[in-house]
Amino acid sequence: MFGFLFKKNFCDLWDNFFHFFVVNLIDLVIVLSFAFLFFFLARSPLVEPNYRILVSFIPLVLGTCLLCVLVFAEGKNAADVANFGSAKLAKFAGNIVPSIKIGLQFGLFVCLVAAVSFISIPFYFNMWIPSDGSQGSLIGLVFLSVIFWFVLITVLALQWFIPVRNLMGNNFSKCIKKSYILFFDNTWLSIKLGLLGLLNIAVSIFSIGLVCSFNGMMLCNTNALRLLLYKYDWYEVNPGMSKAERKDVPWDDLLRTDKKTLGPRKLKSFFFSWKE
């Protein structure tokens, strides 16, 4: 299943390259603009030194929320592309306003998780191993472990949030709930997606955010959930299976139609499609 996911996602990105290039360019402008504002406020003489750190984080929160709105606005295109359709800029533009609420909610939640990470983890680490060389406390290690695993599990679970929203249209609380359920029910696949996300990040950095980037990763995860739903449909039509039987998912049969629709897609077809 994962091998087919990788192939399909690559084909989807290639077939809609211009669209994702434009949308990623818009996201890149947003990121650079708010990053510039962050560094400007962090060093600006117009802001009191005691308040610079607090004030400078305001554009980070605003930029994150705005970026999340735009990523959610691309959600319908991601769902269409995952279903062998095509992406359209008009659909992206028309979905911006309806995505404001869920984008702001998700953006603030991401900021909260980030704040917990950057504040709590160093604090409890210093409690466990004090920087002044004094004797630490095992309580710090306990809290450090709890916070670390909470953040790691949350990051891996949030990979499913936007796909759940794209394909099921649930509200914020249901998307959060289903994201954690999908993670615990598909932990190994979630870890694989996390590693694939790191690869996407590397490609994004190499391409200055114009290839893959946030929308490419969202499309990948949307493709993953769409394929994963075949498993749950299979569960529904085969009730009463044992735990061992439920693990033996017949992916070849479940993906047969999708593989036929996608086709073999040889390397030559990507560059010389008219010769196919």
Side-chain angles (χ1 to χ4, degrees), residues 57-186:
F57 275 94
I58 294 177
L60 288 184
V61 176
L62 294 177
T64 299
C65 291
L66 178 56
L67 184 62
C68 287
V69 171
L70 295 179
V71 172
F72 275 95
E74 180 64 7
K76 287 187 177 180
N77 277 320
D80 288 344
V81 171
N83 198 33
F84 296 99
S86 59
K88 299 178 181 178
L89 290 174
K91 186 174 294 184
F92 164 72
N95 201 38
I96 291 178
V97 174
S99 301
I100 292 177
K101 180 180 178 180
I102 188 68
L104 291 177
Q105 290 174 324
F106 184 76
L108 291 174
F109 185 77
V110 169
C111 290
L112 177 62
V113 174
V116 170
S117 303
F118 289 109
I119 296 175
S120 299
I121 290 179
F123 175 80
Y124 289 117
F125 183 84
N126 189 62
M127 181 184 294
W128 174 40
I129 306 178
S131 57
D132 59 5
S134 60
Q135 185 175 0
S137 172
L138 288 178
I139 295 179
L141 175 60
V142 172
F143 280 103
L144 176 64
S145 300
V146 171
I147 295 296
F148 172 80
W149 285 109
F150 165 75
V151 171
L152 180 60
I153 290 173
T154 298
V155 169
L156 292 174
L158 287 181
Q159 295 178 112
W160 300 109
F161 186 100
I162 300 181
V164 168
R165 174 70 177 183
N166 292 344
L167 298 177
M168 302 178 183
N170 297 131
N171 58 27
F172 179 81
S173 59
K174 286 187 177 180
C175 286
I176 286 288
K177 180 180 179 180
K178 289 184 178 181
S179 296
Y180 280 104
I181 291 174
L182 285 168
F183 166 76
F184 286 111
D185 195 37
N186 304 275

Side-chain angles (χ1 to χ4, degrees), residues 229-243:
L229 290 178
Y230 287 148
K231 181 180 76 169
Y232 293 104
D233 292 339
W234 178 67
Y235 285 167
E236 289 186 5
V237 298
N238 294 279
M241 291 188 296
S242 65
K243 188 176 181 179

